[in-house]
Amino acid sequence: MSGAPEGMNRPWNHQVIHPLSPIPSFWQTEARDTVPAHPGCPPLGLETLKITDFQLHASTVKRYGLGAHRGRLNIQAGVNENDFYDGAWCAGRNDPYQWIEVDARRLTKFTGIITQGRNSLWLSDWVTSYKVMVSNDSHAWITVKNGSGDMIFEGNSEKEIPVLNELPVPIVARYIRINPRSWYEEGSICMRLEILGCPLPGKHSSQLHDLDFKHHNYKEMRQLMKVVNEMCPNITRIYNIGKSHQGLKLYAVEISDNPGEHEVGEPEFRYIAGAHGNEVLGRELMLLLMQFMCQEYLAGNPRITHLIEDTRIHLLPSVNPDGYEMAYEVGSELGGWSLGRWTQDGIDINNNFPDLNTMLWEAEDRKRFQRKVPNHHIPIPEWYLSENATVAVETRAVIAWMEKNPFVLGGNLQGGELVVAYPYDMVRSTWKTQEHTPTPDDHVFRWLAYSYASTHRLMTDARRRVCHTEDFQKEDGTVNGASWHTVAGSINDFSYLHTNCFELSIYVGCDKYPHESELPEEWENNRESLIVFMEQVHRGIKGLVRDLSGKGIPNAIISVEGVNHDIRTASDGDYWRLLNPGDYVVTAKAEGYTSSTKNCAVGYDMGATQCDFTISKTNLARIKEIMEKFGKQPISLSIRRRRQRARQRRQRR
C-alpha cells in the first residue's frame, strides 16, 4: 500500500521556502540571494564515503543490512543480500512518518537531492514522492514549502535510474531529512541518495600542482593532450591505436626521453583507463598524470626525470570514448551504475579478450593426448580472428597495440571499488564462481598489487568503510581476481598468456564518476601509487640475448627454474623479466641455437639485474646454413636412414 502523493508541485523555481523559528533569519536572506537553474553545488559525498556512517540516521530500519549507512547513491547489494550488505536504506515500517537524515556537520547551502530505489536482484522497492526538511540542531525542523503548503518532490519510477530534484532556492542548514510520502505499491520504503550542497564558509581549492581538475569530454581531452605535448615536446608524443565503434580515435600519449622509438634495454610500461566508459576517474587520473610528469620534468624533479629517461611510458586514457560520452552527457551523479559501461555495440571490453586460460589448462590436464600448448605467448584462436566473432573494434585495437610494443608491466584503471586485482581472473574449476586461482608468478603479482595498494592513501586504511560489500583489508587492499568473481577473457589473463606483459586491474575509487570537486582529493589519494607502480617495471632481471657475432636474437625464450611461465626477447634481442628479490637459475634458448644457463641474483634495491646471454648455433643449424648458401637442401635424418636401409637390402640380393 503506497502513501498518498498529496500532489506534485512543479516548476520548482517558481516556489519559495519560508523558514520557521528557530532557523536564523540570515538563512532567509541567503536563500533569496540566488535561484540557480542548476544546483551548482557538488555532492556532499554519500557515494564517495566522505560522509561517514555516523553522519547518517533514520527513523527506523528493516534490519542492520538495510540501515541508514546503506542509503548511499549507487551502493551495490551483495549477491545474497544478507544482513550486512544490502542495497539501500529501508524503513522498518511503511508509513508517512519515516525519514533518513544527513548531518553535514557544518552549515551547508543545500541545493538538491538525488534519489534511487533499492539495488536488488529479487525485490522492487522505491520511493515515488517525498518531502524535504532542514534543521540547525536536529530537534526543530522546517519543511521546504510551496506557497503555503509543504512541497512534495517527485521521486523514482523504478529502482536504478537516479532522479535529481533541485530545491526551489538554496537553503542553509546543518541537517537535512528526506521524508518519503509515497512508494511503489508492491514494495517498501527504500532509498539510496546523494545530497548536493556547498559547505560554508568558502570553497575548496582545486589548484594543487596547477593541474586541470575537471572532467574532460572527448574534444577537451584531445586539447589537453596537445597542451601537454606543446609544453614538453621533447619527452611526449601523441598517437592513436585505432578508432572506436563511433569513429573516435583512441588517443595515447607516450612519455620518454626519445619518444617514438623503442630503445634497446629500456622497458615499456602502459596504463589503460576507460574500458568501462562510465568509470571516469581513471581517465582523469591519466590526464592529471601526464600533466604532472611534464611539469615535474621541467622543474627538474630527479625522481620523475630518472623514470622518464629509463622507461618508455604509454598512457591510454579512454579505451571506450563512446561510452564515456554517454555518461558525460548526463553528468557525474545521474548516470547510475552502468550507463556508458559498454561500447556502442554493447560489448564489455574488459572481458572481451580471447580465453587462453582454457586452452592452457586443458592441455595441462590431458598431457598424454595434448596438442602442444606453450606456457606463454599462446596464440589467439582462429575463430576469434574472424570478422563474425563478437569482438569490439576497440578490443582489436588494444590487442594490436599490445602485440606491437614490448610492454613489461601494465595497469588498467577501473572504478567502483578500492582494491588492486591480480590474475588469474578466471577460475580453473568449471563448477565454481569464486576460487583462488594463482598464476605461476603469484608472488610477483602479489608484490605488484601491494606496491600500489600500500602507497594509496586509503586502500590499506583499516579504519575506512568498505565501498559496497567486500572487505579487502585481510589482503592489504589486494585480491586475486578469480577469488573475487570469475571472468573469462579478461585483459589481465590475456596479457599474461599472450604477451610478456604483467597486467593488473586497479580500482581507484568507490565512486565511478566523482564530482569534479572531488578530483583534487582523488589525485592526492592515487598520485604516489601511480608513480610507485610504474617504478616496479625496473624490478627483476633484464638483458640481451645475442649470437656469437653480437647480433640480438628475437623471440628467444627466457625460462626461470621453478616458474612454469616463460617470456621472449623483443625484436632487438632485449628482454625484461619481473621477479622478486632472490637467486634464480635462468636459461636462454632459441630455435637453432644451443641453450645457455646462468645464475642471476635480484636484490632489494630498485633497478633490474643485468643478465646477458650469448648463445651459439647448433651443428644442425650450421649445416643447414651452409647447404642453403650453396643452393642445396640438407637431407633429414629419417630420409638418410631410409636410403641406407634400401641400399642394404639391394646388397643382400
Side-chain angles (χ1 to χ4, degrees), residues 303 448-460 476 524-533 536:
R303 182 186 184 191
L448 293 171
Y450 183 71
S451 72
Y452 194 100
S454 63
T455 49
H456 189 280
R457 294 205 306 182
L458 296 176
M459 276 191 193
T460 55
D476 293 315
E524 289 302 312
N525 287 342
N526 288 277
R527 176 174 56 86
E528 179 66 12
S529 301
L530 290 166
I531 298 168
V532 167
F533 189 72
Q536 303 312 305

Side-chain angles (χ1 to χ4, degrees), residues 263-279:
E263 296 181 68
V264 176
E266 186 171 281
E268 305 211 13
F269 176 93
R270 69 167 181 255
Y271 271 131
I272 298 173
H276 296 150
N278 64 329
E279 294 172 9

Side-chain angles (χ1 to χ4, degrees), residues 302-544:
R303 182 186 184 191
I304 299 301
T305 300
H306 179 72
L307 186 60
I308 291 172
E309 289 179 347
D310 291 350
T311 321
R312 191 181 185 202
I313 300 165
H314 303 256
L315 307 179
L316 180 62
S318 189
V319 183
N320 181 10
D322 298 347
Y324 174 84
E325 292 301 306
M326 291 177 62
Y328 181 83
E329 190 173 335
V330 300
S332 63
E333 307 306 317
L334 300 180
W337 190 248
S338 59
L339 180 65
R341 176 185 177 92
W342 297 280
T343 63
Q344 190 68 27
D345 49 345
I347 295 174
D348 186 335
I349 295 175
N350 197 50
N351 49 311
N352 188 223
F353 293 81
D355 171 16
L356 304 182
N357 305 55
T358 301
M359 293 174 59
L360 175 65
W361 294 337
E362 285 182 352
E364 290 177 348
D365 292 341
R366 302 171 184 171
K367 291 182 179 179
R368 288 186 299 171
F369 310 103
Q370 75 181 48
R371 182 184 65 195
K372 185 65 175 176
V373 175
N375 66 10
H376 68 293
H377 282 248
I378 299 173
I380 296 174
E382 290 185 13
W383 67 264
Y384 186 91
L385 299 173
S386 71
E387 292 184 4
N388 295 328
T390 307
V391 183
V393 293
E394 296 90 345
T395 309
R396 294 196 189 277
V398 170
I399 289 175
W401 184 54
M402 294 165 73
E403 292 177 332
K404 181 180 179 181
N405 298 284
F407 294 117
V408 180
L409 177 61
N412 56 86
L413 305 190
Q414 302 190 46
E417 261 298 351
L418 265 177
V419 68
V420 183
Y422 54 90
Y424 289 121
D425 289 329
M426 180 179 176
V427 297
R428 186 158 185 165
S429 303
T430 55
W431 60 90
K432 293 185 178 179
T433 58
Q434 292 177 310
E435 179 184 48
H436 182 72
T437 310
T439 67
D441 285 287
D442 189 55
H443 291 296
V444 177
F445 274 114
R446 284 174 178 268
W447 167 255
L448 293 171
Y450 183 71
S451 72
Y452 194 100
S454 63
T455 49
H456 189 280
R457 294 205 306 182
L458 296 176
M459 276 191 193
T460 55
D461 185 353
R463 298 167 299 175
R464 78 169 181 88
R465 184 194 185 286
V466 299
C467 291
H468 300 284
T469 64
E470 302 282 350
D471 185 358
F472 298 107
Q473 290 303 313
K474 58 187 177 184
E475 292 190 50
D476 293 315
T478 71
V479 66
N480 172 255
S483 69
W484 184 12
H485 49 72
T486 184
V487 174
S490 78
I491 186 173
N492 295 341
D493 290 4
F494 173 78
S495 181
Y496 181 67
L497 295 175
H498 184 66
T499 76
N500 288 343
C501 185
F502 287 30
E503 179 103 4
L504 294 84
S505 292
I506 303 168
Y507 293 79
V508 291
C510 298
D511 189 350
K512 292 182 176 184
Y513 195 154
H515 190 274
E516 64 182 35
S517 64
E518 300 289 336
L519 293 178
E521 185 171 350
E522 293 293 358
W523 166 246
E524 289 302 312
N525 287 342
N526 288 277
R527 176 174 56 86
E528 179 66 12
S529 301
L530 290 166
I531 298 168
V532 167
F533 189 72
M534 286 191 288
E535 291 172 332
Q536 303 312 305
V537 77
H538 296 283
R539 183 175 294 280
I541 60 175
K542 65 177 182 179
L544 283 162

Side-chain angles (χ1 to χ4, degrees), residues 38-300:
H38 185 273
C41 288
L44 292 188
L46 276 79
E47 183 176 9
T48 63
L49 306 182
K50 180 182 285 187
I51 295 295
T52 69
D53 289 352
F54 300 106
Q55 292 172 261
L56 301 174
H57 307 279
S59 52
T60 61
V61 300
K62 187 167 289 188
R63 63 171 185 268
Y64 176 78
L66 293 166
H69 65 291
R70 301 296 294 177
R72 300 173 181 271
L73 191 72
N74 286 321
I75 203 164
Q76 302 295 292
V79 175
N80 299 320
E81 300 185 23
N82 56 35
D83 288 342
F84 291 100
Y85 300 117
D86 218 315
W89 161 67
C90 289
R93 298 187 299 272
N94 288 338
D95 61 45
Y97 306 107
Q98 304 305 308
W99 47 262
I100 182 170
E101 172 188 316
V102 180
D103 176 6
R105 289 186 173 170
R106 60 190 294 184
L107 288 180
T108 299
K109 183 171 71 173
F110 296 116
T111 60
I113 301 99
I114 301 170
T115 59
Q116 282 174 310
R118 175 181 177 179
N119 176 250
S120 172
L121 293 173
W122 322 110
L123 301 171
S124 297
D125 300 313
W126 60 83
V127 169
T128 55
S129 69
Y130 58 88
K131 292 181 181 180
V132 176
M133 296 179 283
V134 293
S135 172
N136 197 33
D137 58 10
S138 79
H139 295 292
W141 293 86
I142 65 162
T143 303
V144 175
K145 299 288 184 180
N146 174 37
S148 60
D150 294 347
M151 186 168 185
I152 303 297
F153 293 89
E154 186 173 353
N156 298 79
S157 58
E158 57 86 71
K159 57 189 176 183
E160 288 298 336
I161 299 176
V163 172
L164 165 65
N165 277 309
E166 302 172 23
L167 298 182
V169 290
I171 184 168
V172 176
R174 171 175 168 174
Y175 301 89
I176 186 167
R177 269 185 186 178
I178 310 303
N179 167 219
R181 305 301 296 178
S182 62
W183 46 94
Y184 177 53
E185 61 184 5
E186 296 182 15
S188 301
I189 297 177
C190 294
M191 298 184 77
R192 292 176 287 168
L193 69 153
E194 181 64 86
I195 305 296
L196 306 182
C198 296
L200 299 180
K203 297 181 179 179
H204 294 294
S205 171
S206 62
Q207 301 303 314
L208 303 177
H209 299 107
D210 278 333
L211 303 179
D212 189 16
F213 291 105
K214 60 168 285 187
H215 288 296
H216 299 80
N217 62 23
Y218 182 79
K219 183 179 179 181
E220 292 167 338
M221 178 186 75
R222 178 72 179 90
Q223 183 59 37
L224 180 60
M225 289 178 168
K226 288 180 66 176
V227 170
V228 171
N229 180 239
E230 289 167 0
M231 285 179 61
C232 296
N234 296 329
I235 61 165
T236 62
R237 176 177 71 101
I238 303 172
Y239 66 100
N240 74 80
I241 69 166
K243 292 183 178 181
S244 72
H245 187 270
Q246 292 286 85
L248 299 178
K249 291 181 179 179
L250 308 179
Y251 284 112
V253 167
E254 176 191 343
I255 304 177
S256 169
D257 59 344
N258 284 292
E261 63 178 90
H262 171 71
E263 296 181 68
V264 176
E266 186 171 281
E268 305 211 13
F269 176 93
R270 69 167 181 255
Y271 271 131
I272 298 173
H276 296 150
N278 64 329
E279 294 172 9
V280 307
L281 178 56
R283 170 187 172 117
E284 294 305 328
L285 289 176
M286 290 297 92
L287 298 178
L288 290 166
L289 181 62
M290 62 182 71
Q291 296 174 67
F292 174 79
M293 295 191 73
C294 171
Q295 292 179 15
E296 293 299 302
Y297 181 83
L298 294 176

